[in-house]
Amino acid sequence: MKLLRFGEPGRERPAALDAAGAMRDLTGRVADIDASALSPAGLTALRGIDLESLPLVAAGSRIGPCVAGVGKFICIGLNYTDHAKEAGMDVPKEPPIFLKANSSIGGPDDDVVLPRGSTAGDWEVELGFAIGTTAAYVSESDALGHVAGYFTANDVSERNFQLNRGGQWTKGKSCDTFGPIGPWLVTADEVPDPQKLRLQLTVNGQTMQSGSTANMIFGVAFLVSYLSSFFTLHPGDIVSTGTPAGVGLGHKPPLYLKAGDRMTVSVEGLGEQHQLVVAST
């Protein structure tokens, strides 16, 4: 299944794509695409719905973030060797973990707003996934059973805030609009191997990133097991798994986002995002 949410910010409603790729309104069938819907029981109930019998979503409707009521927004840093090298950082022996503020979450086609004082806005196409069942101290062999589904993510970053303003990375990762997710969540049964997906990001039509999740240092199964050894993962938590080479920081000299730029972000089979970059007012 491909699950999504549509409508104005803060008033999104649940939907799903039917066999022909049309959006069908799930209002009244499920409260939202949230922890309850992403549970095994919730997904089983959704699979039992005849989508073609439901109303079509109006053409041109805004697509919202694909997961509602996110508990934790967890991110993995430096998870591709080529990206670690272009950033001038050591290839990690264990996954670097940081949290992105939930207030950064936005729809896949919403504007990305450069915050006041921004000089180094950057892009990062990433594979994201959502937790469907509680995971605490799970083995790597059992880990994928806790994943409800996968989505396209853009871990938008402000490198000056991230690297030069002291402390941890969170302040450069958590600005409003810096966490677009979607357009839809593809349930795990339709993603046989999350380590065989192409990723791509363009800026103004020029390809900046082109990679594969096959090159992740730490794969999804390992990450679920690893994260669950530090804190419990709950249904509705989401994880963004890191980015391949090609970010603006890696250019010589660095190439950063400016107002008017347009990003196109995709992960194979998980849909495409389209974002206009604007300056904060």
Side-chain angles (χ1 to χ4, degrees), residues 81-170:
T81 301
D82 55 3
H83 174 55
K85 289 181 177 178
E86 73 173 353
M89 299 180 183
D90 294 334
V91 175
K93 296 180 180 179
E94 294 191 43
I97 301 169
F98 62 94
L99 297 179
K100 205 171 176 87
N102 287 7
S103 54
S104 72
I105 295 173
D109 301 331
D110 292 349
D111 292 348
V112 166
V113 181
L114 298 176
R116 295 179 185 179
S118 173
T119 59
D122 208 345
W123 54 82
E124 294 191 9
V125 58
E126 305 197 359
L127 169 66
F129 64 86
I131 296 296
T133 60
T134 301
Y137 298 109
V138 300
S139 67
E140 189 170 349
S141 60
D142 293 334
L144 291 184
H146 294 269
V147 176
Y150 299 88
F151 57 86
T152 299
N154 185 359
D155 177 20
V156 185
S157 309
E158 212 300 334
R159 300 302 187 190
N160 185 41
F161 292 5
Q162 176 189 355
L163 301 173
N164 301 323
R165 298 289 296 274
Q168 300 178 344
W169 290 357
T170 301

Side-chain angles (χ1 to χ4, degrees), residues 220-241:
V220 173
F222 179 88
L223 290 174
V224 173
S225 177
Y226 183 82
L227 293 170
S228 77
S229 72
F230 295 100
F231 43 78
T232 299
L233 298 171
H234 295 284
D237 287 347
I238 62 174
V239 181
S240 199
T241 61

